[in-house]
Amino acid sequence: MLEEQLRNALQAMPKAELHIHIEGSLEPELIFELAQRNSVSLAYPTVEALRQAYAFSDLQSFLDIYYAGASVLLTAQDFYDMTAAYLRRAHADNVRHAEIFFDPQTHTARGVPFATVIDGIWRACRDAPISASLILCFLRHLSEEEAIATLEEAEPFRDKFVGVGLDSSELGHPPEKFARVFARARELGLHLVAHAGEEGPPSYIESALDILNVERIDHGVRCLDDPALVERLVRERMPLTVCPLSNIKLRVFDVMGSHNLRRLLDAGLAVTVNSDDPAYFGGYVNDNYLAAFEALPLELRHARQLAHNSFAAAFLEDEQKRAYRAEVDAFFDKLY
Ligand code: ADE
Ligand code: ZN
């Protein structure tokens, strides 16, 4: 059992969340509510039946059901309601700042205009009880031409998102497939991140760094297979946005007790803890901290480190980061 002081600290400590797909925060209850609102038919008769289907064997088996769930989103109000629900939940977990992924191609492919998607999500962020910014993700199972067209569609809304990312099916879709669209995003002054080393090999992490010029690696847990890469990631203080519950649900690790979070920290890597797709993987960001600390030899000093890392890795001004750093230290100095 997790010691009460540690449990309380994990819940109450100020933190940033940097790896959350907003479509992955769509709870089954809201899926059903939106399906009814929009007269969309679902393959599952009840909320319980849908939840029962959340047993995944790998990333692809999850993505199939995740894209089906997103099919109920049609109007800006739908996107607003989904995002507002996540932000309320994050606030309750003492998340001070969230950087939120969204997948426009999942919606534009169904005829929902890009403007509708970003309008609803962005307004919810503006109205939120915490600070939040948006990262537009390209779906890597689609072509680079489609990603380029999406970025062009997004350009009139440049002030509403801070970066671009790369998600969806990793294996067979290496970062270099998206070299040109990331170069264009860089010219636009956008921040760059990419999922790499979730199911894919360490070489995908390397090409995300060398070819895409990313500033953070999403997941990256497979870096430990390559000691030279670990050395580089440590030297460059490259953040890894790790998602413990996701890694168990998608079978990247068998059980939480064999997750490599503690080993990543011991190697000196700039690890952060995040929820990925909280509605599908059994919990929001605090549930991820609690599950990892429950199963692994992690202590208060690791909690402080992870909270610091979360703000250090955020796309915030240095002054803002210093203020959050001081807030984290003030919080932990009272405890030990
Ligand atoms: N899209 C939503 N969640 C994802 C994940 N864990 N990996 C890749 N793409 C995703
Ligand atoms: Zn992800």
Side-chain angles (χ1 to χ4, degrees):
M1 257 288 282
L2 206 54
E3 198 190 317
E4 197 181 333
Q5 187 194 39
L6 182 52
R7 169 177 294 273
N8 291 341
L10 291 167
Q11 276 162 346
M13 70 184 189
K15 55 183 75 73
E17 178 157 48
L18 307 177
H19 185 159
I20 152 78
H21 301 262
I22 200 62
E23 294 88 351
S25 74
L26 200 49
E27 293 286 350
E29 290 77 8
L30 189 53
I31 291 181
F32 270 77
E33 191 183 320
L34 296 179
Q36 198 158 37
R37 188 195 282 180
N38 294 326
S39 305
V40 173
S41 63
L42 292 169
Y44 300 90
T46 60
V47 166
E48 292 69 36
L50 177 58
R51 226 184 258 285
Q52 293 254 312
Y54 292 0
F56 313 115
S57 51
D58 56 13
L59 175 58
Q60 192 60 49
S61 65
F62 155 69
L63 290 170
D64 293 342
I65 204 160
Y66 159 85
Y67 293 130
S71 70
V72 299
L73 296 158
L74 291 185
T75 68
Q77 188 65 46
D78 302 338
F79 288 94
Y80 184 99
D81 292 346
M82 168 178 68
T83 309
Y86 162 71
L87 288 162
R88 276 195 300 275
R89 195 60 190 70
H91 182 234
D93 277 0
N94 290 299
V95 172
R96 294 281 195 278
H97 172 72
E99 295 181 1
I100 299 174
F101 296 139
F102 69 112
D103 287 343
Q105 289 162 293
T106 301
H107 314 300
T108 53
R110 298 179 290 114
V112 179
F114 183 91
T116 300
V117 177
I118 197 152
D119 176 52
I121 299 175
W122 184 83
R123 279 192 298 109
C125 292
R126 182 200 60 192
D127 298 345
I130 64 172
S131 89
S133 47
L134 297 174
I135 296 176
L136 183 165
C137 281
F138 303 115
L139 299 181
R140 67 202 303 160
H141 67 274
L142 301 178
S143 69
E144 185 178 44
E145 286 65 35
E146 287 164 290
I148 290 169
T150 300
L151 185 57
E152 280 170 4
E153 234 182 325
E155 276 187 42
F157 306 91
R158 168 67 187 86
D159 59 327
K160 292 194 164 51
F161 59 104
V162 300
V164 300
L166 188 61
D167 66 2
S168 192
S169 324
E170 186 182 10
L171 287 168
H173 303 285
E176 50 269 33
K177 181 176 160 186
F178 295 91
R180 289 179 303 146
V181 72
F182 270 68
R184 175 68 190 133
R186 198 172 182 212
E187 280 170 11
L188 292 171
L190 288 158
H191 287 292
L192 308 177
V193 300
H195 283 52
E198 178 184 18
E199 285 187 341
S203 63
Y204 281 24
I205 300 175
E206 240 160 8
S207 56
L209 297 173
D210 292 334
I211 298 173
L212 303 187
N213 288 295
V214 299
E215 300 158 77
R216 296 198 297 247
I217 297 287
D218 296 313
H219 295 292
V221 290
R222 292 205 50 200
C223 71
L224 289 189
D225 297 350
D226 181 344
L229 174 62
V230 171
E231 205 175 293
R232 173 185 181 181
L233 293 169
V234 171
R235 192 173 58 244
E236 296 181 4
R237 292 221 46 78
M238 181 59 57
L240 305 183
T241 62
V242 174
C243 307
L245 285 170
S246 165
N247 292 155
I248 305 312
K249 296 288 177 182
L250 302 188
R251 312 263 186 97
V252 174
F253 299 95
D254 291 337
V255 291
M256 196 61 86
S258 52
H259 196 286
N260 66 8
L261 179 64
R262 170 71 201 252
R263 280 177 282 145
L264 294 168
L265 282 166
D266 286 350
L269 289 155
V271 184
T272 66
V273 166
N274 309 272
S275 68
D276 207 6
D277 300 284
Y280 291 90
F281 299 150
Y284 287 77
V285 70
N286 282 359
D287 301 308
N288 276 269
Y289 279 104
L290 289 168
F293 277 66
E294 190 86 61
L296 297 167
L298 295 163
E299 304 159 18
L300 274 176
R301 67 188 169 93
H302 299 110
R304 185 196 293 246
Q305 184 71 57
L306 288 164
H308 276 321
N309 291 353
S310 74
F311 292 114
F315 297 138
L316 292 168
E317 298 298 325
D318 284 346
E319 194 181 328
Q320 182 76 69
K321 289 192 196 194
R322 273 195 295 276
Y324 280 128
R325 189 175 175 83
E327 204 186 321
V328 170
D329 279 332
F331 178 89
F332 282 100
D333 285 347
K334 280 191 261 166
L335 299 181
Y336 74 99

